[in-house]
Amino acid sequence: MLVIRGLTRAGLEPFDFDLADGECVSVRGPSGGGKTTLLRAIADLDPSAGDLSLDGVAREAMPATQWRRAVCYLAAEAGWWEDRVGAHFSDVQAARELLPDLGLAGEALDWPVSRLSTGERQRLALARLLLIAPRVLLLDEPTSGLDPDSTELMEMLLRTRLESGAGILMVTHDRDQERRLATRGLRVTDGRV
């Protein structure tokens, strides 16, 4: 379980929250309201204050890299730092096996990143995240550039992660997606949750 007490940073008022194992919580609100700020603060990607713990272990008690692998943030537009897709995966074989579940051929790992569409980038970024196997997934509009079939495939994978005990905090503007995946929701407006 992810436990948050008094989380705050510039642009975010103090916030308390618990995310149970296997629970998906949607995050909604107007553009610029603080949704991404909230996720990045939880992931410890931006300076923040407050008490956060995962399964009873305080964020401060573990190295930042360990926290970020356990409580993993996926940006709306994930970064790509190498020219070839496969260079972004530490376990290429596991990636090849996962990609068909996202509607992608394993050969996509051999492609140049410049060839990828927005939707392919989103699906491959999710594959990177899933292969890390974090306990908590912080997803910032993970299906915004996807067609309905690709969205369905992605949601099936997310349901599988939920069934295995991962928690998901997901920014979405899709009310139908919210109904399909989330058990409850948060609204973020002007930095207030």
Side-chain angles (χ1 to χ4, degrees), residues 42-43 86 151:
I42 294 169
T151 296

Side-chain angles (χ1 to χ4, degrees), residues 83-103:
D83 293 334
R84 310 294 290 179
V85 172
H88 296 89
F89 292 87
S90 59
D91 187 338
V92 174
Q93 184 56 38
R96 280 193 203 285
E97 293 170 8
L98 177 61
L99 293 187
D101 293 339
L102 288 164

Side-chain angles (χ1 to χ4, degrees), residues 38-55:
L38 173 66
L39 295 186
R40 289 183 57 86
I42 294 169
D44 195 30
L45 294 173
D46 296 325
S48 64
D51 296 317
L52 283 76
S53 65
L54 180 63
D55 299 328

